[in-house]
Amino acid sequence: VQQGGAPSNPFATPAPAPQLPFDAISQTPPPPHPDEKRYVVNEDPVASGSSPRIGLEPTTLPIAFGGEQSWRVVGMDLDGQTTESLDIMYDTSTLDIVDVAIGSAFAIDPVAPPAVTINRETGRIHVASTDATQLLRFQSGGDVLVIRVKGLAPGEGFAMLEGLVLRGSDGRRT
């Protein structure tokens, strides 16, 4: 039995990991409007040519049964951006959401702060303005949300942003 040895082509670019389709967890969102940009966690911001971006850090979270950790949703280049809502889908078989804190990236209106809804049955975190006439507004990059999770099973928990649409200060989709 032969063991070890060098790869046949050490300079070959490894094949990219297969990507799960967006609808692996939920229904596929409606097709975007021609001037609309949807952001997802697995998207490469450099390849997409986008400037503002939001994602989970890290993209998967190693967690032990009964263990608690913080999972950050971070944003970059969000100054003046707005969105109607922020939705995160998570794996209910490995994670329970203990708490969700609004981060410093949001411009908070003290009269109508954002509301966070956690649906443990569907595995969805929904963040929206408490004033139906206002959009969620970002003042900077940094922490968008800090999610406190508890492990329901050993392994890796995963989550993903769902259908996020950002708009610039002029109201146009970015």
Side-chain angles (χ1 to χ4, degrees):
V1 176
Q2 183 181 8
Q3 294 182 354
S8 60
N9 184 356
F11 301 106
T13 304
Q19 299 290 323
L20 292 175
F22 185 82
D23 63 356
I25 296 176
S26 64
Q27 295 178 347
T28 304
H33 189 272
D35 67 342
E36 177 177 296
K37 180 67 179 158
R38 293 187 184 266
Y39 296 86
V40 295
V41 173
N42 296 334
E43 185 172 311
D44 178 3
V46 175
S48 70
S50 64
S51 182
R53 52 207 175 271
I54 296 177
L56 286 129
E57 205 174 87
T59 55
T60 60
L61 187 68
I63 195 159
F65 174 74
E68 287 193 16
Q69 292 189 52
S70 292
W71 206 348
R72 296 174 49 218
V73 177
V74 295
M76 296 177 65
D77 302 320
L78 295 175
D79 304 30
Q81 299 290 312
T82 60
T83 187
E84 290 179 18
S85 65
L86 183 64
D87 291 291
I88 300 172
M89 297 290 293
Y90 65 93
D91 180 9
T92 59
S93 67
T94 57
L95 299 174
D96 183 32
I97 305 302
V98 176
D99 184 52
V100 177
I102 302 294
S104 61
F106 279 109
I108 305 292
D109 178 356
V111 176
V116 177
T117 305
I118 302 168
N119 186 329
R120 288 178 173 84
E121 289 181 23
T122 62
R124 180 184 302 268
I125 300 169
H126 178 77
V127 182
S129 175
T130 53
D131 180 347
T133 65
Q134 291 187 13
L135 298 172
L136 294 174
R137 189 168 308 282
F138 296 97
Q139 64 184 358
S140 67
D143 284 340
V144 174
L145 299 173
V146 178
I147 305 168
R148 188 86 180 142
V149 299
K150 181 176 182 177
L152 298 178
E156 287 191 332
F158 73 92
M160 62 186 252
L161 292 171
E162 183 180 50
L164 177 64
V165 176
L166 294 172
R167 295 186 181 136
S169 57
D170 61 359
R172 294 182 53 116
R173 294 177 176 119
T174 57

